[in-house]
């Protein structure tokens, strides 16, 4: 059920109808549907799809993959961020097209799943996992090749000691990469002496092997591009990362980083790397499907490649809100905002997603959200009927992709195949 809060009613009535409203009145954004989406709708109908479905446009996906690879400088490695692309066949498609076997994995189920299906893949953990998760992994994955290809991420001396004890207990060699705090301040090594002590401990441990460093600087993209603040944040993160590398050389020798992983970046920042001076590989996932939160200047060459298709259940030529005795609130909303004139209720809802087709669709701020039948409003030119599809862009991929079952692949005007997703997991 939608939640009609007292505060939202007062805002909807008083603020919209009353004097002193400073914001300019919205215009009617409704209009003809884009041919792209009407063709996609026809493909969904031909495929017999009648439930909310996550669709990936394979041609757009491939174009994004090619744009990614074209933007990498010579010698720069590419690592697939699996949490942002949580379907094994999607990951395999990207790996084949890019020629990479490097994955960045973030949770235990995906780590186990990828080790079973792709034991040759080089998996770097994208976050430190509790040692109990590593213990469970070793108990379930018996393939020595897969185990040897996992780089466990360590962020503290205490976690390093736990992994050392696990390696000794299980008589297993564990590859260890250190998380370096390069300015995000979400954990990781910052102190030079602690880095030296950690890599020295790894080097002296018969069951551990030093595999490299990871420095994530996504915070850079959040800095305003004003007075050089973003550039300064980027250079600061690089200085921190290079200092960590220097600490490793101090501990292990000048050639100690040769052949080691120096991972950096993410979708919002990878195009800042024009050489391998700071890092020798970048990790990218979301850019390849480009959710709406990734509409960034650095990702202009990339196109949205993933959409939620939600069937329309009901349509109404006018919007009526369940506000007995307060009907003026709904009327005031429609007077103020012509995009509130018509209503469509869709199958499902309350996703982290933005309506994109038909044009001008909006959520109703007074009605609120519903995960059962989401209300969407549109202007006078909204043309929707029951059994049509509404299309929304996910704001992110890592959680939203897991809410719809198998991904429908749109290719050459048809739904060509389905890609099962991983089970939801933190």
């Amino acid at each position: 059920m939608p939640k009609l809060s007292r505060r939202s009613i007062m805002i909807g009535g008083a603020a919209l109808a009353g004097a002193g409203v400073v914001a300019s009145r919205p215009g009617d954004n409704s209009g003809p549907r884009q041919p792209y989406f009407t063709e996609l709708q026809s493909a969904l109908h031909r495929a017999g799809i009648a439930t909310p479905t996550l669709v990936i446009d394979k041609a757009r996906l491939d174009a994004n993959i090619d744009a990614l690879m074209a933007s990498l400088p010579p010698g720069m490695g590419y690592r697939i961020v699996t949490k942002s692309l949580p379907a094994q066949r999607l990951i395999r498609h990207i790996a084949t097209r890019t020629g990479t076997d490097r994955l960045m994995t973030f949770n235990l189920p995906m780590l186990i799943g990828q080790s079973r299906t792709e034991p040759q893949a080089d998996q770097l953990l994208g976050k430190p996992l509790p040692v109990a998760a590593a213990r469970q992994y070793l108990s379930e994955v018996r393939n020595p090749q897969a185990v040897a290809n996992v780089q466990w991420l360590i962020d503290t001396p205490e976690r390093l000691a736990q992994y050392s004890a696990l390696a000794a207990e299980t008589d297993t060699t564990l590859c260890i990469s250190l998380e370096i705090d390069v300015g995000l301040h979400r954990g990781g090594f910052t102190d030079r002496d602690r880095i030296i002590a950690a890599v020295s401990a790894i080097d002296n441990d018969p069951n551990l092997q030093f595999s490299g460093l990871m420095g994530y600087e996504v915070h850079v993209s959040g800095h305003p591009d004003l007075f050089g603040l973003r550039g300064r944040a980027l250079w600061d993160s690089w200085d921190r990362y290079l200092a960590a590398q220097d600490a490793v050389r101090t501990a292990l020798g000048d050639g100690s980083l040769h052949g080691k992983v120096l991972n950096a970046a993410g979708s919002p920042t990878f195009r800042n790397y024009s050489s391998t001076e700071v890092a020798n590989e970048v990790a990218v996932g979301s850019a390849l499907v480009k959710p709406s939160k990734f509409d960034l200047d650095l990702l202009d060459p990339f196109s949205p490649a993933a959409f939620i298709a939600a069937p329309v259940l009901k349509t109404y030529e006018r919007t009526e809100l369940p506000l007995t005795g307060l009907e003026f609130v709904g009327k005031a909303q429609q007077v103020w905002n012509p995009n509130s004139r018509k209503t469509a209720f869709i199958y499902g809802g309350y996703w982290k997603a933005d309506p994109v087709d038909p044009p001008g669709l909006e959520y109703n701020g007074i009605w609120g959200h519903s995960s059962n039948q989401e209300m969407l409003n549109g202007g006078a030119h909204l043309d929707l009927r029951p059994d049509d599809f509404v299309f929304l862009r996910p704001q992110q991929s890592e959680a939203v992709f897991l809410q719809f079952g198998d991904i429908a692949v749109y290719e050459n005007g048809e739904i060509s195949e389905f890609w099962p997703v991983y089970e939801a997991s933190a």
Side-chain angles (χ1 to χ4, degrees):
M1 286 290 293
K3 185 177 181 180
L4 301 174
S5 69
R6 183 172 182 176
R7 182 174 182 272
S8 69
I9 290 173
M10 294 182 67
I11 291 174
L16 292 177
V21 176
V22 178
S24 59
R25 184 170 179 259
D28 187 340
N29 296 318
S30 63
R33 302 192 70 170
Q34 297 180 38
Y36 174 84
F37 289 108
T38 57
E39 292 167 8
L40 178 51
Q41 174 175 274
S42 296
L44 292 165
H45 284 152
R46 287 192 295 272
I49 293 173
T51 58
T53 301
L54 195 288
V55 182
I56 284 182
D57 185 319
K58 196 172 184 180
R60 290 190 178 194
L61 170 66
D62 287 347
N64 289 341
I65 294 171
D66 295 345
L68 162 68
M69 299 308 292
S71 70
L72 299 183
M76 183 67 79
Y78 167 54
R79 189 172 293 272
I80 303 170
V81 178
T82 60
K83 72 176 175 63
S84 303
L85 306 158
Q88 199 278 328
R89 289 169 65 182
L90 170 59
I91 295 167
R92 174 51 24 208
H93 176 76
I94 296 167
T96 299
R97 194 170 182 91
T98 59
T100 189
D101 62 357
R102 307 183 197 191
L103 308 178
M104 179 172 280
T105 312
F106 286 78
N107 62 61
L108 182 59
M110 289 188 72
L111 181 65
I112 293 173
Q114 289 295 146
S115 287
R116 286 173 173 165
T117 59
E118 312 274 348
Q120 79 286 354
D122 171 2
Q123 296 195 74
L124 169 63
L125 269 296
K127 64 186 178 188
L129 295 186
V131 71
R135 184 186 304 278
Q136 182 177 340
Y137 172 85
L138 295 176
S139 70
E140 295 191 24
V141 177
R142 302 292 187 175
N143 188 324
Q145 180 189 22
V147 173
N149 284 333
V150 174
Q151 299 177 49
W152 301 94
L153 193 66
I154 297 298
D155 58 334
T156 64
E158 293 76 17
R159 200 183 306 274
L160 179 59
Q162 291 176 332
Y163 274 71
S164 174
L166 174 64
E169 175 191 332
T170 58
D171 193 25
T172 305
T173 298
L174 298 180
C175 295
I176 302 295
S177 287
L178 299 186
E179 180 180 19
I180 306 300
D181 181 0
V182 295
L184 182 59
H185 302 326
R186 194 175 63 183
F189 287 87
T190 58
D191 183 79
R192 175 182 175 84
D193 290 340
R194 285 199 165 198
I195 295 172
I196 292 173
V199 294
S200 298
I202 295 169
D203 189 53
N204 292 323
D205 193 316
N207 297 111
L208 300 182
Q209 180 177 325
F210 177 65
S211 52
L213 305 174
M214 190 271 275
Y216 188 40
E217 28 63 308
V218 71
H219 64 286
V220 169
S221 64
H223 280 67
D225 196 13
L226 184 69
F227 305 124
L229 291 176
R230 187 177 301 168
R232 285 165 57 188
L234 179 63
W235 282 103
D236 176 69
S237 72
W238 286 351
D239 285 344
R240 292 170 184 259
Y241 204 25
L242 290 170
Q245 295 172 34
D246 183 65
V248 173
R249 294 188 188 95
T250 299
L252 304 183
D254 289 342
S256 55
L257 287 174
H258 180 72
K260 305 300 183 184
V261 169
L262 299 176
N263 178 272
S267 287
T269 58
F270 77 93
R271 295 188 71 215
N272 290 317
Y273 291 78
S274 58
S275 74
T276 56
E277 182 180 353
V278 176
N280 58 22
E281 68 168 37
V282 293
V284 181
S286 296
L288 301 184
V289 289
K290 200 177 183 182
S292 61
K293 293 297 185 184
F294 292 81
D295 286 342
L296 308 169
D297 291 345
L298 280 177
L299 295 181
D300 279 346
F302 296 76
S303 301
F307 303 96
I308 298 167
V312 176
L313 300 179
K314 309 161 188 174
T315 60
Y316 297 96
E317 287 300 301
R318 65 177 184 175
T319 298
E320 295 189 34
L321 300 175
L323 301 171
T324 303
L326 295 171
E327 289 82 3
F328 71 91
V329 174
K331 292 179 181 178
Q333 184 186 51
Q334 293 171 58
V335 168
W336 174 255
N337 183 3
N339 300 294
S340 299
R341 176 173 173 177
K342 293 185 177 183
T343 291
F345 287 95
I346 62 173
Y347 187 154
Y350 212 168
W351 306 298
K352 290 184 176 181
D354 305 307
V356 291
D357 185 81
L361 282 179
E362 297 180 355
Y363 298 112
N364 189 295
I366 300 174
W367 175 272
H369 288 286
S370 171
S371 56
N372 175 36
Q373 298 181 63
E374 184 88 83
M375 173 192 273
L376 293 171
N377 295 142
H381 304 291
L382 176 66
D383 184 16
L384 272 179
R385 296 172 180 80
D387 300 333
D388 284 346
F389 280 89
V390 160
F391 294 94
L392 307 93
R393 267 183 82 190
Q395 295 175 3
Q396 60 165 228
S397 57
E398 58 195 74
V400 178
F401 276 33
L402 300 175
Q403 296 179 274
F404 304 92
D406 294 355
I407 295 171
V409 180
Y410 180 55
E411 183 178 18
N412 297 324
E414 301 292 340
I415 302 301
S416 61
E417 57 183 321
F418 292 89
W419 289 341
V421 297
Y422 278 97
E423 294 182 8
S425 180

